């Protein structure tokens, strides 16, 4: 599958179990100037194999035979004469082991960090990975003021807001307002219980549906399952849930393309809420900026630059009132949607410029 293009050669590496959505954008950024190779977990490859512009790949099952992974990756880099490596999830132990094996090579490495707190206080990230990796990306500008990285390290940001549109939009009545809550249903990550309590007490506007756009495992969250089962039939029909597996990309895309509003449900009290205010983002943000769909955020996030400009805000006890106001006044969303689509920050040209400036830094 190797192609002789005369271009510089780069590998996008993902040895974790997720974050494949961040790879789509990076392939787009790199295609004009680089011969792009992908090394990833085997279960992620079906989401990537139809993308144009990938010149070669190596697949792994990191749940088994972990000892084989690092030698195989190093051998691939050598055999394909790779000059640049971007690590799509830098916080995992296999990356630490790989970086130590590459310590005395000339390969130019950039890391993507999904929890920027690791750059501040992780011994592994700062003192081991940092021996070789001197450049890191985070995924929102608002994280940068909260990062105090190791001396000599450069931290930049890019927004992976470009997604494959592989799904056919599903049928939607023109008067309905659809609110999506992306991600697997896990009660510790988002305040599903608080939302469902308000739905039970106040109901939803008749023209509104809430789509829980991720896998739902009732046995893992029996309390959520019980809340859903206890809702009156009419209210239950206004909530869409999916089965206990990952929602396929085509299905996810089909629903997102009909979504009017994204609701991350990040409320005080959810797991790692304080990190979400400083050093962590929700993937919902990039879905908003990529699909041009406004966010509905809890008031604590109103100081974030992108969110202050492109989101609507509520206080937790008043969420039901805000949903009612939005359902009755679609123009509240039209202005926000127009603002997202007009923001030059979210263009392919701007994000490619940001990305390549750091990746190519020596």
């Amino acid at each position: 599958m190797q192609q002789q293009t005369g271009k510089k050669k780069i590998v996008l590496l993902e040895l974790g179990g997720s974050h494949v959505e961040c790879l789509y954008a990076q392939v787009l950024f790199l295609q004009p100037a680089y011969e792009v190779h992908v090394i990833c977990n085997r279960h992620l490859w079906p989401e990537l194999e139809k993308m144009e512009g990938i010149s070669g790949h190596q697949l792994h099952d990191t749940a088994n035979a972990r000892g084989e992974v690092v030698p195989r990756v190093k051998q691939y880099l050598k055999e394909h004469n790779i000059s640049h490596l971007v690590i799509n999830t830098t916080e995992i132990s296999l990356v630490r082991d790989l970086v130590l094996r590459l310590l005395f090579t000339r390969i130019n490495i950039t890391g993507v960090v999904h929890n920027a707190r690791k750059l501040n206080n992780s011994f592994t990230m700062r003192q081991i990975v940092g021996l070789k990796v001197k450049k890191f990306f985070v995924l929102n500008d608002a994280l940068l003021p909260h990062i105090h990285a190791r001396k000599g390290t450069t931290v930049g940001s890019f927004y992976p807001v470009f997604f494959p549109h592989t799904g056919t939009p599903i049928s939607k009545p023109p008067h309905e307002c659809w609110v999506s809550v992306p991600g697997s249903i896990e009660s510790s990550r988002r305040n599903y219980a608080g939302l469902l309590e308000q739905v039970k007490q106040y109901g939803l506007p008749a023209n509104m549906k809430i789509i829980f756009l991720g896998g739902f495992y009732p046995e893992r969250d029996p309390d959520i399952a019980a809340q859903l089962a206890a809702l009156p039939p009419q209210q239950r029909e206004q909530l869409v849930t999916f089965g206990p597996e990952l929602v396929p990309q085509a299905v996810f895309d089909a629903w997102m393309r009909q979504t009017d509003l994204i609701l991350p449900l990040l409320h005080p009290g959810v797991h790692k809420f304080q990190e979400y205010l400083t050093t962590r983002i929700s993937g919902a943000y990039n879905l908003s900026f990529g699909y041009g769909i406004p966010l509905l955020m809890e008031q604590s996030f109103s100081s974030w630059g992108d969110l202050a400009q492109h989101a609507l805000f509520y206080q937790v006890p008043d969420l039901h009132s805000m949903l009612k106001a939005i359902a009755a006044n679609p123009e509240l969303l039209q202005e926000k949607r127009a603002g997202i689509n007009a923001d030059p920050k979210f263009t392919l040209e701007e994000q490619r410029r940001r990305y390549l400036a750091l990746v190519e830094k020596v």
Side-chain angles (χ1 to χ4, degrees):
M1 195 169 179
Q2 185 180 10
Q3 299 176 4
Q4 298 300 323
T5 62
K7 298 179 179 179
K8 293 175 288 186
K9 298 180 180 182
I10 192 166
V11 159
L12 298 176
L13 175 75
E14 178 53 77
L15 296 178
S18 58
H19 297 306
V20 68
E21 74 281 354
C22 297
L23 294 175
Y24 302 129
Q26 294 179 75
V27 173
L28 291 177
F29 299 158
L30 292 165
Q31 280 178 5
Y34 284 85
E35 180 182 307
V36 182
H37 297 245
V38 171
I39 299 175
C40 68
N41 262 314
R42 191 174 306 278
H43 73 275
L44 300 177
W45 181 243
E47 304 290 349
L48 297 166
E49 62 180 338
K50 295 181 181 178
M51 279 200 74
E52 296 182 0
I54 297 177
S55 298
H57 66 275
Q58 184 185 67
L59 306 180
H60 295 274
D61 179 2
T62 56
N64 301 298
R66 287 174 61 90
E68 299 177 6
V69 174
V70 168
R72 285 187 60 208
V73 172
K74 186 177 179 183
Q75 185 63 27
Y76 188 97
L77 299 175
K78 181 179 179 181
E79 287 181 353
H80 292 265
N81 194 28
I82 302 298
S83 61
H84 290 69
L85 170 66
V86 177
I87 303 170
N88 191 52
T89 303
T90 313
E91 302 98 311
I92 60 176
S93 59
L94 275 172
V95 166
R96 174 202 62 201
D97 298 343
L98 175 64
V99 166
L100 288 174
R101 294 287 295 270
L102 298 176
L103 195 57
F104 300 107
T105 67
R106 300 186 59 160
I107 192 164
N108 185 323
I109 305 179
T110 309
V112 179
V113 179
H114 299 272
N115 181 3
R117 182 177 62 88
K118 298 282 188 178
L119 291 170
N120 291 344
N121 57 20
S122 167
F123 176 85
T124 298
M125 186 69 68
R126 291 172 64 91
Q127 304 300 330
I128 300 178
V129 174
L131 289 173
K132 178 66 176 176
V133 186
K134 308 294 185 183
K135 305 176 297 176
F136 295 94
F137 281 117
V138 295
L139 300 180
N140 193 283
D141 293 345
L143 303 180
L144 295 173
H146 302 283
I147 297 170
H148 311 287
R150 173 178 168 149
K151 186 177 180 180
T153 297
T154 302
V155 183
S157 65
F158 80 95
Y159 289 52
V161 295
F162 308 95
F163 304 98
H165 295 308
T166 55
T168 301
I170 57 181
S171 176
K172 174 187 177 185
H175 69 285
E176 286 194 351
C177 178
W178 287 6
V179 180
S180 285
V181 183
S184 297
I185 296 179
E186 298 177 30
S187 57
S188 65
R189 296 177 63 191
R190 303 176 189 87
N191 188 16
Y192 298 100
L195 170 65
L196 293 176
E197 182 59 36
Q198 291 197 30
V199 170
K200 181 179 181 180
Q201 184 173 355
Y202 301 104
L204 286 171
N207 66 330
M208 179 172 282
K209 278 190 169 68
I210 294 182
I211 299 100
F212 296 102
L213 197 47
F216 178 37
Y217 299 79
E219 68 280 3
R220 293 186 188 176
D221 271 301
D223 291 343
I224 300 296
Q227 276 189 290
L228 286 167
L231 291 174
Q234 179 180 349
Q235 293 178 358
R236 183 64 186 88
E237 289 174 4
Q238 291 179 264
L239 304 176
V240 178
T241 57
F242 293 82
E245 65 274 330
L246 291 176
V247 176
Q249 169 59 32
V251 175
F252 188 92
D253 179 62
W255 284 88
M256 285 302 301
R257 289 165 73 180
Q258 295 284 35
T259 291
D260 299 290
L261 184 69
I262 294 175
L263 178 61
L265 283 178
L266 296 175
H267 293 172
V270 303
H271 187 49
K272 299 183 178 179
F273 179 75
Q274 289 303 314
E275 290 184 26
Y276 280 111
L277 292 176
T278 54
T279 58
R280 182 186 287 267
I281 73 162
S282 167
Y285 304 170
N286 287 324
L287 290 170
S288 166
F289 307 145
Y291 280 90
I293 302 169
L295 288 155
L296 182 58
M297 299 294 300
E298 194 271 333
Q299 188 66 36
S300 301
F301 294 91
S302 59
S303 62
W304 276 53
D306 296 324
L307 304 185
Q309 186 175 358
H310 298 304
L312 297 164
F313 298 93
Y314 62 94
Q315 295 183 353
V316 174
D318 301 325
L319 175 56
H320 64 96
S321 298
M322 191 65 179
L323 291 174
K324 182 178 180 180
I326 289 169
N329 300 282
E331 63 272 11
L332 290 173
L333 300 182
Q334 292 170 3
E335 181 180 351
K336 292 294 183 182
R337 183 182 285 270
I340 296 171
N341 291 329
D343 194 328
K345 178 187 285 190
F346 306 136
T347 63
L348 179 60
E349 293 75 18
E350 171 59 16
Q351 290 305 316
R352 176 181 284 147
R353 182 196 66 77
R354 287 184 177 212
Y355 183 83
L356 291 178
L358 188 58
V359 166
E360 295 180 340
K361 183 179 185 296
V362 178

